[in-house]
Amino acid sequence: MDIVGALGRDPPDRESLPRWVAPLPKRLEDVAFRFAWVIVAINLVGTAFGFWYYRFQFQELPTEMWIFIPDSPGATLLIALALGAWALGRSSDTLAALAFFGNVKLGLWTPYVLVVFWPEFLAVNGPALYAFLLFSHLAMVVQAFVLHRITDFPLKAVAVATAWYTVDLLMDYFVPVIGDVTHTSLPYADGAPWFTTTVLQVAAAGAVALTVVPLFWALGTRIATLRNRAGDAGE
């Protein structure tokens, strides 16, 4: 039996990119693609857990707003779809860009709020679940950095990802169309004072900043890839 064929595919070619846009060792990236279906399965399990985790918010908000609620599960579903599409020989730049944005943004935002609001998060979730949430979300960031092997982040795909995560940001914190804001439940009331501001504003500030970060990285990857190809063509 062809193990590589059953669990993934031979890795795609790797561009010669700066470490700041492609920080993972080539060997680790290769393993990810050879075991792509394993990573897909892990992300689908994480997606299912995430939907269960958000079950109370689904009950509280109108059905029309449900698409904006499960932020992290949505990101893990997107990377499962992106890697699955690649493994089937049907890569999608748009799926890969959406997955990159989601896994970087939510993979960093969740540890941010877990650390900032750690006393109550730890009390509510307990040490084991707290640690799982922290490290599993950091792992989302790591896996996002294999995606440059299957997309060069064309501007149309980046525009779609930017548009979606901007709309999601607005629904989560600022202008919900129906009902209340859809951000992940925090262990304090939104209006509770926190230093010089409120809990909601602290969480929103992190979300705004972390919407810009993957946009910068995606465009940086695009520019570095084009420069590398131009250099190859000139040799």
Side-chain angles (χ1 to χ4, degrees):
M1 181 179 178
D2 180 4
I3 297 298
V4 172
L7 299 180
R9 287 171 53 197
D10 288 328
D13 293 336
R14 189 180 199 269
E15 303 268 3
S16 180
L17 299 177
R19 181 60 62 87
W20 67 272
V21 294
L24 301 181
K26 178 180 182 297
R27 187 172 299 177
L28 182 59
E29 293 178 1
D30 289 348
V31 169
F33 288 106
R34 289 194 174 100
F35 293 89
W37 288 117
V38 175
I39 296 176
V40 167
I42 291 170
N43 277 279
L44 290 177
V45 170
T47 299
F49 171 80
F51 276 90
W52 174 84
Y53 188 86
Y54 282 92
R55 65 196 184 280
F56 298 117
Q57 281 188 258
F58 284 127
Q59 296 172 9
E60 295 170 357
L61 292 169
T63 306
E64 296 85 349
M65 300 299 288
W66 281 7
I67 191 173
F68 301 109
I69 296 173
D71 292 328
S72 293
T76 53
L77 177 60
L78 284 167
I79 200 166
L81 293 173
L83 290 174
W86 169 82
L88 293 172
R90 304 179 67 178
S91 291
S92 167
D93 290 317
T94 300
L95 269 179
L98 284 165
F100 181 80
F101 271 63
N103 279 265
V104 172
K105 175 180 177 176
L106 282 311
L108 292 174
W109 180 84
T110 300
Y112 162 73
V113 294
L114 285 172
V115 170
V116 171
F117 304 125
W118 72 268
E120 195 63 21
F121 264 122
L122 187 60
V124 169
N125 293 303
L129 182 56
Y130 181 90
F132 170 75
L133 292 172
L134 180 66
F135 291 109
S136 64
H137 281 81
L138 292 175
M140 289 170 61
V141 183
V142 173
Q143 69 179 358
F145 284 99
V146 307
L147 294 171
H148 71 90
R149 297 277 288 269
I150 61 174
T151 183
D152 56 5
F153 295 107
L155 292 183
K156 182 179 179 180
V158 173
V160 171
T162 302
W164 167 249
Y165 279 101
T166 299
V167 171
D168 182 65
L169 178 69
L170 293 174
M171 297 301 106
D172 275 355
Y173 297 98
F174 302 107
V175 285
V177 176
I178 303 172
D180 203 355
V181 288
T182 58
H183 67 81
T184 302
S185 292
L186 300 169
Y188 299 94
D190 285 352
W194 201 265
F195 292 101
T196 61
T197 182
T198 66
V199 165
L200 179 64
Q201 289 173 318
V202 171
V208 170
L210 292 172
T211 302
V212 177
V213 168
L215 173 60
F216 171 78
W217 251 321
L219 293 178
T221 303
R222 174 71 175 171
I223 292 168
T225 299
L226 294 178
R227 284 177 176 172
N228 179 63
R229 292 174 183 175
D232 290 344
E235 293 179 356

